[in-house]
Amino acid sequence: MIRIENISKSNSHRILYIEASAALNRGEKIGLVGPNGAGKTTLFRMITSQEAPDEGQVAVEKNVTIGYFNQDVGEMSGVSAVTEVMNGAGPVSSVAAELRELEAAMVDPDRMDEMDQIIERYGEVQARYEELDGYGLESRAREVLAGLSFSQEMMDGDVGKLSGGWKMRVALARILLMRPDVMLLDEPSNHLDLESLIWLEQFLKNYDGALLMTSHDREFMNRIVNKIIEIDAGSLNSYAGDYGFYEQQRAQNEKQQQAQFERQQAMLAKEIKFIERFKARASHAAQVQSRVKKLDKIERVEPPRRRQSVAFEFQPAPRSGEDVASLKGVHKAYGSRAIYHGLDFMIRRKERWCIMGVNGAGKSTLLKLIAGSAEPDQGTVAIGASVKMGYFAQHAMDLLDGEQTVFEWLESEFPRAGQGTLRTLAGCFGFSGDDVEKKCRVLSGGEKARLVMAAMLFDPPNFLVLDEPTNHLDLDTKEMLIKALSEYEGTMLFVSHDRHFLSELSNRVLEISADGVHRYDGGYREYVERTGYEAPGLAA
């Protein structure tokens, strides 16, 4: 359906692709992977003709429809969310628009003399609309929005009043409703809660078109894709299988290449040693010349390219008391909506609680109550002796000084730390090279979140309270964070929609549901095994 043929592409002074080739065939569901800045979004833009390759071509079969979702959703306002979704549903939306125009023309007294033609055209357009299942469009649009956690009130409200994250979901819903022949999805799992993520996973599994997507959620990708295309040093390498298989295969390929390289180096060293030893002897001249010619003809094996991965190690946190946080008889409501009725909850040292609950259940509210950024209406919240808390939430980015560079801000936070130490810290969280000279005001939301987290973990508290800490982290940075937190000696309380993060780091689960609060010993894996749910109310 789509063929990428020997493309080369440069962006500013950076070479992204060098004679790279790949293909997207019918029914394939492909994960596109590569480090930040490798050219994933550029590839999407070339497929949709928004950019052209410098050399080579991207060929799309005739009459193939493409739906492209990216993080730039554009302006949305003045219509309801459900109308916005329907308006972007491809051919059916333009047919619907013509149908509305013809309906208006049929009651326009100034166009009575055209009525025969209008009625004839209306019949043709109506037939086409039925063929495209236009009359079922609104119910399907509502079904998709409901799957992405929209309430009926949000569906019918002005789309312009929604936050950026919810507008992203509207843009995603447009593509899903369109059901094109090919879907290009650039980070569709960003901004989604766990319930929406699981719904989207099922939708994409059942989608019968071709799919090319990027995602920083390995579990999400593993369950959907049957092929991986990796961008590596300007090439496009294809692997049959899911992300887990790709990781194993890549590691195996690198191991084999390293072994080949070492064998060849040993052989070359032996030949060079012979040549150096006997080159001055006339009796060995023929043998020396033969071996020199042999060396000249040998195709050199390159060592495997080493991917840059920086490990992050916690400095030891001070020990807290055994009782880290205690909530007794806590009531909390927002207006007429009650969140908690007499909640009792105790967190003890070294426990790692993940909070589960449907959208709006009060997960972030619980974190705010414990962090002290919200007060209970009744009851008490007490923090234990010698507890040093670190609270990460999206609003923490407001603490950044927009006029400082990334490096200047880190220096102001840690004046006693050496430059090398701070550069390593920045590199761990995705700020390498000139990135540390960016002004904080020009950073994306994800970059700001990474910077705040880097500062919090550099001087580690003994109690981490984390609200969606993995949003915007790429796969490598996320793995680094999981590895670092798995070795962390303190106590954790967190909300996350990333099932890999939940599985690796939790040892307790607090589920907030309509029928009360439930506690589970054991982590997220045990929770899924015991309840049969990956999220409250959603079967595994």
Side-chain angles (χ1 to χ4, degrees):
M1 297 176 86
I2 297 173
R3 293 189 316 281
I4 298 156
E5 299 173 340
N6 295 313
I7 61 164
S8 295
K9 179 74 175 174
S10 296
N11 190 350
S12 300
H13 302 296
R14 186 171 187 174
I15 296 171
L16 297 176
Y17 297 101
I18 307 165
E19 296 183 354
S21 297
L24 175 60
N25 301 311
R26 290 185 192 282
E28 284 186 330
K29 293 184 167 68
I30 299 176
L32 180 64
V33 302
N36 280 350
K40 296 188 286 289
T41 299
T42 301
L43 187 65
F44 284 140
R45 291 176 62 81
M46 287 191 285
I47 291 171
T48 53
S49 302
Q50 292 171 275
E51 288 189 38
D54 301 333
E55 294 175 19
Q57 66 168 349
V58 178
V60 180
E61 273 182 27
K62 199 174 179 183
N63 299 323
V64 164
T65 56
I66 296 176
Y68 174 36
F69 167 78
N70 64 11
Q71 302 295 306
D72 182 15
V73 299
E75 283 299 309
M76 291 183 189
S77 63
V79 295
S80 68
V82 73
T83 301
E84 181 72 40
V85 170
M86 289 163 65
N87 286 347
V92 69
S93 59
S94 56
V95 175
E98 187 179 355
L99 209 54
R100 287 194 295 273
E101 287 171 13
L102 290 166
E103 284 166 354
M106 285 164 72
V107 295
D108 185 348
D110 295 334
R111 300 187 66 178
M112 291 301 292
D113 54 340
E114 304 172 56
M115 200 53 63
D116 288 347
Q117 298 97 303
I118 290 170
I119 289 171
E120 185 181 348
R121 179 60 185 159
Y122 185 80
E124 293 168 359
V125 175
Q126 190 177 42
R128 176 65 176 145
Y129 192 59
E130 285 176 357
E131 185 185 322
L132 293 169
D133 191 24
Y135 290 108
L137 187 66
E138 182 173 344
S139 65
R140 285 191 286 119
R142 289 183 182 277
E143 186 183 330
V144 169
L145 285 170
L148 296 175
S149 298
F150 279 75
S151 65
Q152 290 298 324
E153 187 181 355
M154 291 169 73
M155 291 181 203
D156 294 318
D158 185 347
V159 70
K161 292 180 180 175
L162 296 174
S163 68
W166 285 100
K167 284 180 179 173
M168 290 272 186
R169 297 189 195 205
V170 170
L172 177 58
R174 278 196 307 229
I175 305 300
L176 301 182
L177 183 65
M178 181 182 171
R179 281 191 172 260
D181 299 320
V182 177
M183 273 194 214
L184 307 179
L185 303 181
D186 196 358
E187 294 298 341
S189 51
N190 275 1
H191 303 285
L192 296 185
D193 53 53
L194 187 50
E195 293 74 31
S196 302
L197 205 57
I198 292 168
W199 178 86
L200 178 60
E201 195 175 274
Q202 205 55 48
F203 184 97
L204 293 176
K205 278 184 189 174
N206 295 330
Y207 166 62
D208 54 11
L211 171 69
L212 179 66
M213 73 169 187
T214 63
S215 176
H216 292 160
D217 188 322
R218 62 183 293 146
E219 191 67 37
F220 177 72
M221 195 184 288
N222 263 342
R223 297 184 186 205
I224 295 167
V225 305
N226 51 30
K227 180 177 171 181
I228 293 287
I229 292 179
E230 174 198 50
I231 305 171
D232 184 25
S235 296
L236 290 169
N237 304 323
S238 296
Y239 296 79
D242 63 13
Y243 186 80
F245 175 80
Y246 149 74
E247 278 192 313
Q248 292 170 4
Q249 196 63 42
R250 187 183 72 182
Q252 189 177 326
N253 291 350
E254 286 180 356
K255 194 174 176 182
Q256 288 172 348
Q257 190 175 345
Q258 182 67 30
Q260 283 180 322
F261 172 73
E262 288 172 2
R263 281 197 301 273
Q264 189 180 70
Q265 289 299 302
M267 181 272 290
L268 292 173
K270 190 176 175 183
E271 294 294 317
I272 290 166
K273 188 176 178 182
F274 179 90
I275 292 165
E276 289 297 317
R277 185 178 175 189
F278 294 110
K279 66 182 177 183
R281 297 189 189 181
S283 60
H284 288 74
Q287 284 177 285
V288 167
Q289 279 301 107
S290 171
R291 294 196 181 199
V292 168
K293 286 177 184 175
K294 178 183 165 186
L295 286 187
D296 286 342
K297 289 177 182 175
I298 288 174
E299 189 175 334
R300 297 295 197 266
V301 174
E302 294 291 325
R305 283 186 290 270
R306 298 293 176 201
R307 285 166 176 75
Q308 288 185 329
S309 58
V310 190
F312 178 76
E313 292 183 6
F314 279 101
Q315 299 174 28
R319 182 182 169 126
S320 71
E322 288 302 315
D323 292 347
V324 173
S326 170
L327 285 74
K328 290 182 179 172
V330 165
H331 291 253
K332 184 66 181 175
Y334 292 107
S336 60
R337 191 164 69 93
I339 306 291
Y340 294 113
H341 314 264
L343 173 65
D344 294 323
F345 179 43
M346 172 67 81
I347 301 172
R348 292 189 167 83
R349 192 172 75 86
K350 288 202 170 186
E351 290 180 339
R352 295 163 173 243
W353 287 91
C354 70
I355 313 301
M356 307 293 296
V358 297
N359 217 27
K363 300 186 294 291
S364 293
T365 298
L366 180 61
L367 270 54
K368 288 176 184 173
L369 288 167
I370 289 171
S373 64
E375 295 290 329
D377 300 333
Q378 291 178 40
T380 60
V381 178
I383 301 302
S386 305
V387 170
K388 178 186 174 188
M389 188 190 303
Y391 174 43
F392 176 84
Q394 302 307 312
H395 66 72
M397 282 88 84
D398 300 340
L399 304 171
L400 297 172
D401 181 340
E403 291 310 307
Q404 288 183 315
T405 66
V406 167
F407 193 75
E408 286 168 348
W409 186 79
L410 286 173
E411 276 192 315
S412 68
E413 290 289 300
F414 308 109
R416 295 183 182 179
Q419 285 210 359
T421 303
L422 291 182
R423 285 187 183 277
T424 300
L425 172 69
C428 283
F429 285 85
F431 298 100
S432 55
D434 294 339
D435 289 342
V436 294
E437 301 305 325
K438 283 183 178 177
K439 295 270 191 190
C440 289
R441 60 180 157 77
V442 304
L443 298 179
S444 68
E447 287 173 321
K448 288 178 181 176
R450 295 204 306 268
L451 181 55
V452 169
M453 186 175 292
M456 184 176 73
L457 298 183
F458 183 65
D459 181 21
N462 51 31
F463 180 32
L464 285 174
V465 179
L466 308 173
D467 196 356
E468 295 290 2
T470 59
N471 273 2
H472 309 288
L473 297 187
D474 63 32
L475 282 160
D476 289 338
T477 309
K478 201 179 284 187
E479 281 302 311
M480 176 277 296
L481 180 63
I482 289 171
K483 187 173 185 302
L485 289 175
S486 66
E487 295 165 7
Y488 170 65
E489 290 290 317
T491 307
M492 287 174 63
L493 176 74
F494 60 92
V495 172
S496 176
H497 64 247
D498 188 293
R499 284 160 290 181
H500 182 50
F501 189 88
L502 291 168
S503 298
E504 293 298 315
L505 295 174
S506 59
N507 60 23
R508 301 281 190 285
V509 175
L510 187 77
E511 182 192 79
I512 306 165
S513 64
D515 62 345
V517 174
H518 307 280
R519 296 163 180 76
Y520 297 87
D521 289 336
Y524 177 71
R525 285 194 191 95
E526 290 81 2
Y527 166 81
V528 174
E529 286 169 11
R530 286 173 63 182
T531 64
Y533 295 144
E534 289 196 291
L538 290 178

